[in-house]
Each structure stands twice: as structure tokens, then as C-alpha cells.
Amino acid sequence: MDKHLKTLQSLSKTLTTLYQTRTPYRINHGSTNSTRPRPSSGTATVDISSLNNVLSVNKATKTALVEPNVPMDKLVEATLPHGLIPPVVMEFPGITAGGGFAGTAGESSSFKHGFFDDTVRQVEMVLGDGKIVRFGPDDEEKGDLFRGAAGAVGTLGVTTCLEIRLMDAKKFVKTRYHRARSVAETVEVIRREVRNDDNDYVDGILFSRDHGVVVTGELTDVKPRAAEPRTFSRAWDQWFYLHAQNQQQSEEYIPLAEYLFRYDRGGFWVGAAAFEYFKFVPFTRFSRWFLDDFLHTRMMYRALHGSGESARFVVQDVAMPFETTEAFVDYTAESLNIWPLWLCPLRRRAPPTFHPFTTVPEGVVREEEDMMLNVGVWGWGPDEPARFVEKNRELEAKVRELGGMKWLYAHTYYDQDEFWDMYNGRGWYDELREKYNAGHLPSVWDKVHVDPEAAGNKKRHWLKRQVPLGGFYGIWKSIQSKDYFLHRNAAWKWKGEE
């Protein structure tokens, strides 16, 4: 805690100085899973990469004190020995607690527990003027700051510590696979399963219009003696989505941490795109084993940015009403032909908020008042930059037409008027910025907006345009990070019954 307090005081002094000159700044966290373009080099940068520690785990109160740059795998490794687990754990091990609060983080337990910030009891933050404050969602004086800062991508202050609620962990997740033969049936199965009180996790995968799988999980300490635990972290293990696609058993037992990070290898299925890029490498179980170090989410993010291929890769999550999800999938199938798609049910939050919230178009009857369905659309877009922007703008328009909203971690092309209209105007947000002395900082729109004209005319470096040279450059950048050691040495991986 002494180290934390020293860092906190130093950060406070830095932000006080920047406030006195009204100098805007951006934060260096040390790592990111965002696909938004990097900030310009001329912007002042505040380095908080050292805030990456779990300060304490309290078994009596079932809470953890966590600095913002603690990734999910380290958080799980810290809480599991105490028999505890965060209610919402993002599926990628490298996503941080601070990113989960400042961004939008909802996962397969979110139909039950809400967004990641719904599990946060208190926040420590340094405001834009350098003042250190602590507050929670029910704080009479600063509850508005909690609600506004959750999802506001760090534009109201710098989060320095989070008190996170924990719950009892179990050894296994009893996992069931429910097959569906259409998009409508897949959505209906999800609708049914979120109402089943036994389920702790629910998500779905659409492999095509006529092949869906809904995956449900129930925490348990009891496993039949004959049932072999199923793992997904070892190099020879099957990627989870491929396992689910062809799974014939209706039920199996997965060790808890293996379930939480089941999508890490292959990054859901985005890793398959690397094999499409390197056409000379076959997509086989042997090649996936041989190249395993490069096919975890941390390494793939490094390679995607390093290669420049992020400029033509669609990475979008959109929250849709259950009632219009089928129409949205019909659109993506015709316009983008991206498969599979991820479906994840989430508790719906009412505005004002920077989390996505859904409405229903005129003439559509809402059947799910408190729930919405995230659709993950991740795959290759058009090669030509202007066409890529055009397709993304079309997607944004279709999402709005069908009553949905995008998550803000990825490319966002809305102009200012359109953006603020989506979020009930900017008056509520500007009042918060004025009240908490954040008016000199970049706004949410400033941080997430990509200029369509500039993006459409952007030319990538000639080397990165050469296939496969650009890809090899991205791999080299990922190797330099040495992030592959993080998975090799991960303590959360299943090591057998103790």
C-alpha cells in the first residue's frame, strides 16, 4: 500500500500541474485491448503502467482492492486461492480491471451480474485538477461521478484503485451445449436459458444461419468420477469454438479458470483469420499446436496493430434488442459475410450512460424489458480503405435503425451531433465535466471518433501492404513484447486434482 500511496501522490501532483496550464493528456496503461487508433504523438502522456497490483483480497468481506492495470488472469490467480472469484470476468486474460470500469465490459455472466462496473463497490480516482477522491455507486455526493465514469473511457479522471465485489468460487463449470437450427431458434434458446436460475453463464455462437450453439454453465464442486475435466489452455487442446461446433456430448465439466478464459486461444475465432492471411499455412490442429505461442489474445492484439491489418479488420460489438437480432444477423450475413458471430445476453441499463442501451423500432413489441443481446462481429472487411469506412458506416446506421448501439472500444465514425444524440445529448456529461474539473480533457467523442474522410484516404506503409511481409512484421512486434511468457507461465491453468 505504501508504494500505491506514493504513486497516487505523484500522479496527483502531475495532474495538478497539467490542470493549471489546462493541458489535455492521454494515459499510458502499459497495454491495451482496444482497437481504436493510437493517439497522436504530440499529446501529453501520463504513465500509470506501474499501477498493476492486487493490493488485497479480503475473504471476510468478499472484496478485492485492485489497481487499474491488473489483468483478468492475475486477478483470478489472486482470488482463487481464497475460494473467491469476481462475478464478471472478461474472457480475455489481458483485459484489465480499469479497462473494464472505464470501458464497457460485459461477459457470459452479465445476464445475471450486469456489466463489470456493477461489481465495483468503490473507486479511487484522481480528478482532472489533481484532487484525489473515493466514491461508490450509492455515494450521496459523488454517485453521479460513478455512473458517469463507468464507460466514459477515462475522460472524467484517472482511476487508480477499485474495490471489487467477489463471490464464492467452485471447482468446475458444468457446461451444456444446446444446438439450434436457425438464428431465431438460437435467440429463443438464449432467452429461455437466461431465465433458468441454475445457469451462471450463458452465451451463444452462430456458425451460420442454420447452425447455432448456446453454451450454458453452472458452477459446481461435484463432478462424476467418470467425467474427465475438459481443458482449453494447453497447446494441443482444441480451440473452444471448434470444440463447441462439433461437440456431441450435451454435458461436460470444465475447471473454473479454464472456462473463464476458454476463448483466449484463438481469440474466440479471430485467430483463424491469421491462417487466411498466411495462405501457405494450413488451418490444422497440428499447425495450431506448433504456433500456439502466437495464437493467444495478447499476442494477436500486438500482431494486429503491428502489421497494420487492424485498418481492414472489422472488430465490432453491438448491443441489440432480442426482438431485432435476427434482422441484424440477416444484414451482416448479406453485407459482410462474417461468421461465426458471438451472442451474449446482458442486463440492460437505462440512460444516461456510455454503456450501450437498446430501444425498439416503431412497430416492434419489446418482450425483454431488462435484457439485451450483444452480437460480436469480428472478421475481414474490404481491403480498400474508403470501402472499409463505408461498410462500417453502413453497419452503424443499421444498428441504430434496429434499436441497437455499438460498444466504444472499436472504430467509431459518428459525427458529433449524431454521437451525442445517441447518448441523450451531452448536457448531463458536460455538467459532470464541469463539476469535476475535467473540461480540459478530451471528451468521449474525441477519444473514440475516427474521422471517416481521413481513414478513407489513409495509406498504409508500403511494407505493411506487402503480404506476407506486413504480417511477419506484426509477428516480430508481438515477439518483442514477450507476452507469450504470460500464458506459458500462467498459474490459473488446470494442473489436475489436488
Side-chain angles (χ1 to χ4, degrees):
M1 286 297 290
D2 288 343
K3 180 182 176 183
H4 175 81
L5 291 175
K6 288 180 181 179
T7 303
L8 181 64
Q9 291 164 0
S10 175
L11 177 62
S12 175
K13 290 179 181 178
T14 298
L15 296 191
T16 298
T17 300
L18 292 172
Y19 178 71
Q20 290 169 348
T21 58
R22 299 302 189 270
T23 302
Y25 60 84
R26 290 182 184 264
I27 299 297
N28 172 34
H29 301 276
S31 66
T32 178
N33 279 354
S34 173
T35 60
R36 295 194 305 270
R38 298 290 195 260
S40 62
S41 58
T43 304
T45 302
V46 175
D47 190 340
I48 63 166
S49 58
S50 64
L51 292 173
N52 58 3
N53 302 290
V54 177
L55 301 177
S56 67
V57 177
N58 189 318
K59 192 170 182 177
T61 61
K62 294 185 180 179
T63 58
L65 283 179
V66 180
E67 292 180 324
N69 297 318
V70 171
M72 288 296 103
D73 53 1
K74 297 304 179 186
L75 178 56
V76 167
E77 288 173 358
T79 63
L80 270 183
H82 299 272
L84 300 169
I85 198 76
V88 177
V89 176
M90 286 72 92
E91 267 93 348
F92 289 173
I95 297 178
T96 62
F101 177 76
T104 292
E107 305 300 340
S108 57
S109 62
S110 289
F111 76 97
K112 190 172 234 179
H113 300 288
F115 294 108
F116 179 77
D117 58 272
D118 285 310
T119 71
V120 175
R121 293 181 55 175
Q122 190 175 58
V123 177
E124 178 186 82
M125 179 179 287
V126 183
L127 298 179
D129 60 359
K131 182 180 179 182
I132 300 169
V133 295
R134 295 173 182 86
F135 53 92
D138 300 321
D139 190 299
E140 290 186 9
E141 182 183 354
K142 297 185 180 67
D144 57 348
L145 179 58
F146 186 99
R147 291 184 291 275
V153 293
T155 59
L156 293 173
V158 180
T159 299
T160 53
C161 189
L162 300 163
E163 182 183 17
I164 299 172
R165 177 169 52 87
L166 304 173
M167 67 180 194
D168 291 332
K170 304 288 185 181
K171 287 184 179 179
F172 301 99
V173 177
K174 182 179 181 180
T175 306
R176 296 183 175 91
Y177 302 86
H178 313 261
R179 300 202 167 275
R181 292 168 291 183
S182 69
V183 177
E185 184 183 359
T186 305
V187 172
E188 189 55 39
V189 172
I190 292 176
R191 192 195 301 267
R192 179 191 74 208
E193 292 302 322
V194 298
R195 294 169 179 159
N196 183 345
D197 291 338
D198 291 335
N199 287 330
D200 296 293
Y201 305 97
V202 177
D203 70 314
I205 305 171
L206 278 173
F207 294 96
S208 67
R209 278 185 163 126
D210 57 6
H211 182 190
V213 176
V214 176
V215 183
T216 61
E218 177 186 349
L219 290 164
T220 181
D221 283 322
V222 180
K223 177 183 69 66
R225 185 183 298 271
E228 282 291 322
R230 176 71 65 176
T231 62
F232 298 99
S233 63
R234 297 175 300 189
W236 190 250
D237 288 339
Q238 187 66 285
W239 286 3
F240 180 77
Y241 92 96
L242 294 171
H243 175 74
Q245 184 176 21
N246 300 306
Q247 174 65 2
Q248 298 303 314
Q249 291 178 279
S250 61
E251 183 177 292
E252 62 185 356
Y253 291 79
I254 303 174
L256 176 54
E258 295 276 345
Y259 187 90
L260 296 175
F261 301 129
R262 65 198 180 281
Y263 287 115
D264 178 45
R265 292 176 59 250
F268 284 86
W269 38 84
V270 171
F275 291 85
E276 296 176 25
Y277 176 90
F278 293 104
K279 300 181 186 299
F280 52 87
V281 181
F283 187 65
T284 65
R285 194 160 184 173
F286 175 81
S287 61
R288 294 193 294 274
W289 165 80
F290 184 74
L291 298 170
D292 186 66
D293 273 343
F294 304 99
L295 295 170
H296 295 265
T297 48
R298 283 182 170 105
M299 291 289 282
M300 287 193 294
Y301 268 110
R302 301 278 191 184
L304 185 67
H305 282 300
S307 67
E309 291 301 314
S310 58
R312 65 185 188 99
F313 203 82
V314 176
V315 183
Q316 299 285 356
D317 279 86
V318 298
M320 300 299 302
F322 273 69
E323 297 78 13
T324 61
T325 297
E326 184 178 9
F328 178 71
V329 172
D330 286 342
Y331 161 76
T332 60
E334 294 296 330
S335 179
L336 297 168
N337 193 30
I338 290 176
W339 301 98
L341 301 173
W342 190 48
L343 303 180
C344 182
L346 303 155
R347 282 202 336 223
R348 179 178 177 271
R349 181 176 298 178
T353 175
F354 284 112
H355 291 319
F357 55 90
T358 56
T359 56
V360 291
E362 186 175 349
V364 175
V365 178
R366 182 185 286 279
E367 298 178 21
E368 296 290 342
E369 288 291 339
D370 60 343
M371 297 289 293
M372 57 189 185
L373 195 56
N374 179 77
V375 183
V377 185
W378 318 311
W380 292 114
D383 289 340
E384 201 272 315
R387 182 65 175 153
F388 180 84
V389 171
E390 180 184 345
K391 279 294 181 182
N392 274 272
R393 287 294 282 153
E394 287 178 3
L395 182 143
E396 290 177 343
K398 178 59 67 172
V399 169
R400 288 202 72 186
E401 176 190 325
L402 295 174
M405 289 183 74
K406 288 172 49 172
W407 297 31
L408 296 179
Y409 73 86
H411 288 201
T412 299
Y413 299 92
Y414 307 108
D415 62 39
Q416 285 216 54
D417 290 342
E418 184 181 12
F419 180 85
W420 292 115
D421 181 62
M422 289 168 52
Y423 291 97
N424 286 17
R426 61 181 299 168
W428 65 277
Y429 174 62
D430 284 343
E431 287 177 6
L432 285 175
R433 282 163 66 81
E434 181 178 357
K435 179 178 178 180
Y436 295 106
N437 295 316
H440 63 297
L441 303 180
S443 71
V444 173
W445 183 83
D446 292 329
K447 292 192 71 170
V448 306
H449 176 68
V450 176
D451 181 83
E453 184 176 355
N457 294 323
K458 187 175 182 179
K459 303 297 182 185
R460 287 191 295 158
H461 189 278
W462 69 270
L463 176 63
K464 294 183 179 181
R465 294 199 305 269
Q466 311 307 311
V467 178
L469 295 182
F472 282 128
Y473 180 77
I475 290 174
W476 178 64
K477 295 296 287 185
S478 68
I479 292 173
Q480 283 186 312
S481 74
K482 299 184 179 181
D483 280 351
Y484 53 89
F485 284 118
L486 296 173
H487 181 78
R488 285 186 186 180
N489 302 323
W492 58 263
K493 292 191 288 187
W494 176 251
K495 298 175 178 62
E497 295 276 10
E498 296 182 357

